Amino acid sequence: MTQSQLPGTERISEAHRDLDTLPTADIVTALLEDQARGAQAALEAAAALTRAAEEIAARLARGGRLLYAGAGTSGRLAQLDAAELPPTFSWPTERAVALLAGGREAMWEAREGAEDDAEQGAADLLALDPGPNDALLAIAASGTTPYALGALHAAKQVGTLAVGIANNPGTPLLAGADIAILLNTGPEVISGSTRLKAGTAQKIALNTLSSSVMVRLGKVYGNLMVDLKATNAKLRARAVRLVQAATGHGESESAAALEACGWQVSAATVMLLRGVSAEEARARLEASGGHVRAALE
């Protein structure tokens, strides 16, 4: 197979054939400049990311889950995205589930052969009993990884929204998805090492997608993350600053409101802005589906 016939992520970068002969500063510069191209690839996928965010938010608003499936770097990035939603947005852990080829142990120790098992990808997804209110993000730089494809096909069979994220155009993962997100990053500085800009583009896309969904679900007021979990001293201090920023009240008043509301930023915000009790603030939030702006109105 010629270079032109290979997927973009597998081609050899002609611009970096002499990489090992360069001074360290030039190696660093080459890698950094290429990473910027990963960010550009994610930006070029804005329309597809927008559609996915809207479709996913609609399903999650009906009680669904955000599911992920991937192998290797893609799967580890999926695990990271899922793990960050609970502390950042108080999103229930059971409603952000990432499947990694080879199991959780593959997060720390590479199990490259596990990615070749499409049946296991399907079985792992179906074990979660997915339905039409759930959404799956199937991620693979190559766009051909059997594990991710197996999960994608299983999702479609049960009516789960199937979103495919890949770094090569015209691949089975994108062709088979309900929504295809192409992150066209091309050859890597270190040929074939998709943990580089392909992974960077995936991380940006996942951050953007899940954060956009959380904004649509009311987990943000203005640009303040009013549903974070204040589980340590640093986060409690952040919670106080967030309430101050949201309400214009001082530090002591904000801290007292948070204490009354069990350190729930959204409730403390409603409590102070509407001059109601903690109980009334929580009731307003419950009635509004957790949206601070709606609770205030």
Side-chain angles (χ1 to χ4, degrees):
M1 185 178 290
T2 65
Q3 283 292 309
S4 62
Q5 293 173 315
L6 288 169
T9 55
E10 294 300 321
R11 294 175 192 165
I12 296 172
S13 172
E14 296 300 328
H16 304 98
R17 286 281 198 166
D18 59 349
L19 185 69
D20 66 329
T21 70
L22 298 178
T24 302
D26 290 348
I27 295 171
V28 169
T29 298
L31 288 164
L32 288 174
E33 288 178 348
D34 214 44
Q35 292 288 337
R37 295 186 184 96
Q40 181 60 36
L43 184 60
E44 291 168 359
L49 287 165
T50 298
R51 182 184 169 207
E54 291 176 342
E55 294 283 352
I56 292 169
R59 285 162 175 76
L60 268 54
R62 297 195 293 266
R65 296 168 294 172
L66 183 55
L67 312 175
Y68 308 70
T73 297
S74 299
R76 294 183 192 102
L77 289 170
Q79 290 275 345
L80 178 61
D81 199 67
E84 289 179 339
L85 294 182
T88 307
F89 301 110
S90 291
W91 189 250
T93 302
E94 66 274 12
R95 294 182 66 192
V97 183
L99 301 173
L100 176 58
R104 295 183 67 85
E105 295 78 10
M107 188 74 182
W108 298 277
E109 183 177 344
R111 298 191 174 184
E112 303 297 351
E115 72 175 50
D116 295 331
D117 195 339
E119 290 184 2
Q120 190 62 56
D124 287 351
L125 183 77
L126 293 175
L128 300 176
D129 193 24
N133 286 337
D134 297 323
L136 170 71
L137 304 180
I139 313 154
S142 66
T144 60
T145 303
Y147 183 88
L149 283 168
L152 184 88
H153 293 152
K156 293 192 71 172
Q157 289 171 4
V158 295
T160 295
L161 179 70
V163 178
I165 303 175
N167 297 80
N168 289 305
T171 49
L173 190 71
L174 298 180
D178 295 316
I179 300 175
I181 299 174
L182 169 62
L183 306 170
N184 197 0
T185 46
E188 299 284 357
V189 171
I190 300 174
S191 301
S193 182
T194 51
R195 63 180 286 270
L196 297 175
K197 74 169 177 288
T200 296
Q202 290 178 2
K203 180 68 167 72
I204 293 171
L206 289 170
N207 268 355
T208 300
L209 185 52
S210 61
S211 296
S212 297
V213 168
M214 291 298 126
V215 173
R216 285 277 69 88
L217 293 175
K219 298 295 185 178
V220 174
Y221 174 56
N223 67 341
L224 306 176
M225 53 177 186
V226 291
D227 263 348
L228 89 163
K229 286 186 177 179
T231 54
N232 58 33
K234 178 189 74 174
L235 293 177
R236 284 192 291 274
R238 182 180 295 166
V240 172
R241 292 194 298 272
L242 287 168
V243 173
Q244 287 182 265
T247 67
H249 285 263
E251 182 178 349
S252 60
E253 286 180 290
S254 298
L258 282 163
E259 289 276 5
C261 294
W263 288 91
Q264 184 182 358
V265 174
S266 55
T269 297
V270 174
M271 178 183 174
L272 290 176
L273 286 178
R274 281 291 170 262
V276 298
S277 67
E279 291 74 20
E280 173 66 16
R282 283 193 288 264
R284 282 174 174 254
L285 281 168
E286 184 175 354
S288 70
H291 292 246
V292 170
R293 196 171 297 280
L296 292 171
E297 295 170 355

